[in-house]
Amino acid sequence: MTASPQFAGQDPPKTYAIIVAGGSGTRMGTVIPKQFLLIHGKPVLMHTIEAFHRSASNPHIIVVLPPNFHSYWDELCIKHHFKIDHDLVSGGETRFHSVKNGLDIVPGNPLALVAIHDAVRPLAGAGLIDAAYSQSAQLGNAIAAVKSRDSIRLQKADTTVSLLRNDVYLIQTPQTFRLDQLKAAYLQPYDQKFTDDASVVEQAGFAIHLVEGEYNNIKITFLADLAVAELFLGQ
Amino acid sequence: MTASPQFAGQDPPKTYAIIVAGGSGTRMGTVIPKQFLLIHGKPVLMHTIEAFHRSASNPHIIVVLPPNFHSYWDELCIKHHFKIDHDLVSGGETRFHSVKNGLDIVPGNPLALVAIHDAVRPLAGAGLIDAAYSQSAQLGNAIAAVKSRDSIRLQKADTTVSLLRNDVYLIQTPQTFRLDQLKAAYLQPYDQKFTDDASVVEQAGFAIHLVEGEYNNIKITFLADLAVAELFLGQ
């Protein structure tokens, strides 16, 4: 393998993917958490892991799951003959704590690149995943985002005001960072304002850089989304 | 028919739907404008008209189309044996002008209720359509909106900042108004800040009221959306 010019004379940075499954499934009205629901007969989470495994970056994969689902996951892997190597880590109280638990097992090379990804976004394309690793090597981070297709209104006191649509980005995952940024950011105490991984890194003082996401890269939230995912994963 | 208490002793307000098709199709990479693309073998616009026709409100329907597509639409109606009664009006330079042209043929009862709807949102449910008419009778308007499922970032100068997701609404159509509000609002001169119908009415000084939209009520923007629409309209 030829090293890219940027890394001439040295190994390219190691890549990791922390795939976070925190969901309890209540919003779907299902008992089974969303990450275990089936798309074409296979759990959502396996499709998500495969998306990263298929990418050229081929990262080392760390799955974060609530501890009471670890043995269930092991059983699913046997049942579905799922062979992609990955570490399994226990989820915490919030997404912040879950990501932090995943980060704890990433070795300390500050130039390593870490994608954080929702377990319930199985449709992320290999092109997006690779572009995010590549940009984060250059700029420190890369946050998948698309422009809103809808007009936007913002709650202000007891009314709403319109925003200029062109100024609004809908944020997805992967959110990919150089390890030094992540390690510094996740030393901060937890703050309720942390809505996603980018907001944690932003709070630590790093500039956030967007990378073009994909409209198909939906988050499985409602049962209807499963049918949509099945449609796109069948293509 | 028993009049509701609100309208005891008088007819309920007349209902209208202005269905606006301005699209040129360039974003889809298709030559045919999006509103004429087929879902289950039938043009998108016909599905949209049917959604309103199926609602309990059963509004009088006004379709706004660029003038160079009027004869094509007439041919499509014959070809598809499409019998739902509607007026056909010429679109203008922007959505503002198109809506204004539609409004011009709505008779002057100030309590009439007018839904403005994107031709390329064929999945609007009858429940949403009726709820919007009902709320607009009470409050003056009803703008279909859903909470964002994604985190949001807002462009500020050369960077982006995170917003609290719970404060952000993605705005859909129908956007339904009492006629007196619409007529007053569309007397204003055109302003580039008019991103949707609510922003026009807001600029005229009326308070905007949201009504719970539907996540499935997507705007057909990319070819992949047609497959999604086919999936949901098949259910």
Side-chain angles (χ1 to χ4, degrees):
Chain A
M1 173 180 159
T2 311
S4 65
Q6 193 193 354
F7 304 114
Q10 60 181 95
D11 290 334
K14 288 267 194 303
T15 54
Y16 298 84
I18 299 177
I19 298 178
V20 188
S24 65
T26 48
R27 213 165 156 192
M28 299 277 279
T30 58
V31 175
I32 302 179
K34 292 172 276 187
Q35 60 270 17
F36 301 128
L37 294 173
L38 304 181
I39 298 173
H40 293 311
K42 193 160 59 180
V44 167
L45 176 55
M46 292 184 187
H47 289 281
T48 307
I49 293 172
E50 283 171 352
F52 279 82
H53 188 65
R54 267 196 307 268
S55 74
S57 309
N58 190 21
H60 180 79
I61 289 165
I62 298 164
V63 171
V64 186
L65 272 181
N68 51 329
F69 285 109
H70 283 206
S71 60
Y72 180 62
W73 174 244
D74 289 340
E75 286 166 27
L76 285 176
C77 287
I78 293 167
K79 179 177 172 190
H80 291 275
H81 309 287
F82 189 73
K83 303 286 188 199
I84 299 176
D85 189 38
H86 62 278
D87 288 319
L88 187 56
V89 167
S90 287
E93 199 181 337
T94 71
R95 182 191 181 91
F96 175 86
H97 299 96
S98 293
V99 169
K100 194 168 174 155
N101 290 352
L103 264 182
D104 278 346
I105 69 160
V106 177
N109 176 356
L111 295 182
L113 303 174
V114 183
I116 302 173
H117 190 69
D118 300 326
V120 291
R121 289 199 195 257
L123 297 176
L128 168 58
I129 290 168
D130 290 329
Y133 281 117
S134 172
Q135 181 182 309
S136 68
Q138 308 271 339
L139 301 178
N141 59 60
I143 311 302
V146 294
K147 284 266 175 84
S148 175
R149 297 198 258 174
D150 299 309
S151 294
I152 300 283
R153 298 185 75 84
L154 190 62
Q155 188 82 46
K156 290 261 189 191
D158 61 346
T159 185
T160 59
V161 296
S162 64
L163 291 181
L164 284 180
R165 172 168 48 187
N166 266 343
D167 292 347
V168 177
Y169 292 91
L170 307 182
I171 302 300
Q172 308 178 337
T173 68
Q175 304 194 355
T176 304
F177 305 87
R178 234 176 29 219
L179 184 62
D180 57 343
Q181 291 196 352
L182 274 185
K183 289 273 190 188
Y186 279 83
L187 287 176
Q188 299 174 103
Y190 172 68
D191 186 327
Q192 282 197 329
K193 280 185 306 185
F194 293 156
T195 55
D196 64 352
D197 320 301
S199 63
V200 180
V201 170
E202 181 179 38
Q203 173 98 338
F206 297 101
I208 295 301
H209 301 280
L210 305 184
V211 64
E212 176 96 22
E214 298 166 332
Y215 285 101
N216 287 358
N217 178 23
I218 59 170
K219 190 171 182 171
I220 305 287
T221 313
F222 303 106
L223 279 174
D225 300 326
L226 279 178
V228 173
E230 195 143 278
L231 180 72
F232 289 129
L233 279 170
Q235 280 177 346
Chain B
M1 171 179 160
T2 310
S4 64
Q6 192 193 356
F7 303 115
Q10 59 182 94
D11 291 334
K14 286 268 194 302
T15 55
Y16 299 84
I18 298 178
I19 297 177
V20 188
S24 65
T26 48
R27 216 165 154 193
M28 298 277 278
T30 57
V31 175
I32 301 179
K34 292 172 276 188
Q35 61 270 16
F36 300 130
L37 293 173
L38 304 181
I39 298 172
H40 293 310
K42 193 160 61 178
V44 167
L45 176 54
M46 291 183 187
H47 289 280
T48 307
I49 294 172
E50 284 171 352
F52 278 83
H53 187 65
R54 268 196 307 269
S55 74
S57 308
N58 190 21
H60 179 80
I61 289 165
I62 298 165
V63 171
V64 186
L65 271 181
N68 50 330
F69 284 108
H70 284 206
S71 61
Y72 180 61
W73 173 245
D74 289 341
E75 286 166 28
L76 284 175
C77 287
I78 293 167
K79 180 176 171 192
H80 291 274
H81 308 288
F82 189 73
K83 304 287 187 199
I84 299 176
D85 189 39
H86 61 278
D87 287 321
L88 187 56
V89 167
S90 287
E93 198 182 337
T94 71
R95 183 190 181 90
F96 175 87
H97 299 97
S98 292
V99 169
K100 194 169 174 156
N101 289 353
L103 265 182
D104 278 346
I105 69 161
V106 176
N109 176 356
L111 295 182
L113 302 174
V114 183
I116 302 173
H117 190 69
D118 300 326
V120 291
R121 289 199 196 257
L123 297 176
L128 168 58
I129 291 168
D130 290 328
Y133 282 117
S134 172
Q135 181 182 307
S136 67
Q138 308 272 339
L139 300 178
N141 59 61
I143 312 302
V146 292
K147 283 266 175 83
S148 175
R149 296 198 260 175
D150 299 310
S151 292
I152 300 283
R153 297 186 75 83
L154 190 61
Q155 187 82 47
K156 290 261 188 189
D158 61 348
T159 186
T160 57
V161 297
S162 65
L163 292 181
L164 285 180
R165 173 169 47 185
N166 266 344
D167 292 347
V168 177
Y169 293 90
L170 307 182
I171 303 300
Q172 309 179 335
T173 68
Q175 304 193 356
T176 304
F177 306 86
R178 235 178 25 221
L179 184 61
D180 57 343
Q181 291 196 352
L182 273 185
K183 289 272 190 188
Y186 278 83
L187 286 176
Q188 299 173 104
Y190 172 67
D191 186 327
Q192 281 197 328
K193 280 186 304 184
F194 293 156
T195 55
D196 64 353
D197 319 302
S199 63
V200 180
V201 170
E202 182 178 38
Q203 174 96 339
F206 297 101
I208 296 301
H209 301 280
L210 305 184
V211 66
E212 176 95 22
E214 297 165 333
Y215 285 102
N216 287 357
N217 179 23
I218 60 170
K219 190 170 181 172
I220 304 287
T221 313
F222 303 104
L223 278 175
D225 300 326
L226 279 179
V228 174
E230 195 144 279
L231 180 72
F232 289 129
L233 279 170
Q235 282 177 341

